[in-house]
Amino acid sequence: MNVVLGVGGGIAAYKAAELSRLLQERGITVQVVMTVSAQKFITPLTFAALTNRKVITDLFSDRGGDEVLSSAVEHIRVAQDNQLLVIAPATADLIAKMALGQADDFLSTLYLAFTGPVVIAPAMNTNMWNHVAVRNNVETLRARGHVIVEPGEGLLACGTTGPGRLAEPAMIAQEVSRELFGPKDLEGDVVLVTAGPTEEPIDPVRFIGNRSSGKMGYAIAEAALRRGARVILISGPTNIAAPVGLEFIRVGSAAEMHSAVMEKLGAANIVIKAAAVADYRVLNASTQKIKKTAARLTLELEPNPDILAEIGAMKGDRILIGFAAETENMVAEAKRKMLAKNCDMVVGNVVNQAGTGFGADENAVTLVLRTGEVVEVARASKREVAGWILDQVGRLRLVG
Ligand code: PMT
């Protein structure tokens, strides 16, 4: 396997040397490409010695004659010869260039010419990382299906404390391996995933909603896509850009989600319901904005259709995975929902612990399987949890 390691200009550039070594230990051939600023932090010689290959530093070499012509198309050759592009550290500038499609040096030009998987490990000052422009650019890249290896938190070289530190090289190497050697066990499957909250209108300007961000469901959809499935993602309102490479349907209310799921159900052989669907909607929602008065206001609610239970009742050969968001008795509730809604597995999710569940980047879940097994999944990123959930599909297939 051949991988391009793109090194951006940040203080963490020296850690890319360790990354190149770790990748080679996994039997991967590494071609290093450095930006001009990266060379201010670490010399190409270090990478040339570590990888035993010439490091690419320029879009146009100054060697003259025919070599200029061949270097002008070198980014195309490098794009064709490598199976993955990993960028570490990815600076705010590099991330912006990739998001915009700006190509003014070898690495950014190679990025546009490259069609394989891309792993991006950002590193920068905390305020820069939190800046809305960087957040938006990162989300654009994530929506393209690129893997973002989130920066860690800690004391940064600039003296501030917070997120922005390059992820550990071992973690980046693990993500690269997962992309290169991960299972393609869902090839031929059609996976329908629901994600995010629903919004139940009270009047034209107000609604009843919940705290779901969609992160868990989107992570599952993207993981299924990486494992070779055709994916249909039906999402309530979220701030996450629609991922590319899958069929994406945006809905508002539970009733809209119900219609979209029922319309697409026939195509799917695996259904995963991570959405936080409102159990009730407002009866006779007002068509005009409700005026404020001194009097109390009572909203009458009526039950929404239980989409999961409805699918369970007509499940056929499908594999059906539901979620159970609980604040107490999680395993018992997950088991109860699994039987009541005829699921093959229910992902039990405690949702009253800081740092996991609704809105968080991490989750801690317990998988309750129809086989009677109960699998505790340690607290981890939603991306990793998504992988563990999909790992169970193979087992559920075996038991029929
Ligand atoms: O979106 P994030 O911020 O990443 O947060 C993730 C999450 C906490 C929302 C997710 O991990 C999760 O737990 N999702 C299920 C939330 C939920 O609605 O749980 P529930 O126990 O109320 O519902 C049980 C199951 O029935 C769920 O699969 C749900 O999608 C489904 N359901 C519920 C009600 C309804 N009317 N129709 C349904 O299909």
Side-chain angles (χ1 to χ4, degrees), residues 194 196 211-217 273-279 304-308 322-326 337 341 349 351 357-360 363 382:
T194 67
R211 298 178 201 282
S212 170
S213 62
K215 287 177 188 170
M216 189 68 249
K273 291 222 65 266
V277 186
D279 289 320
N304 267 323
D306 189 321
I307 310 169
L308 183 59
F323 272 67
E326 306 297 338
K337 285 180 183 172
K341 304 191 185 196
N349 209 165
V351 289
F358 282 94
N363 218 354
K382 284 183 174 167

Side-chain angles (χ1 to χ4, degrees), residues 26-63:
R26 292 170 190 237
I28 297 167
T29 303
V30 179
Q31 170 64 65
V32 175
V33 175
M34 297 179 79
T35 64
V36 171
S37 353
Q39 297 165 58
K40 307 265 186 218
F41 291 92
I42 182 167
T43 66
L45 189 61
T46 306
F47 288 107
L50 284 170
T51 61
N52 213 13
R53 288 170 85 93
K54 183 176 167 291
V55 172
I56 301 174
T57 54
D58 270 324
L59 189 52
F60 298 100
S61 80
D62 55 4
R63 285 165 286 173

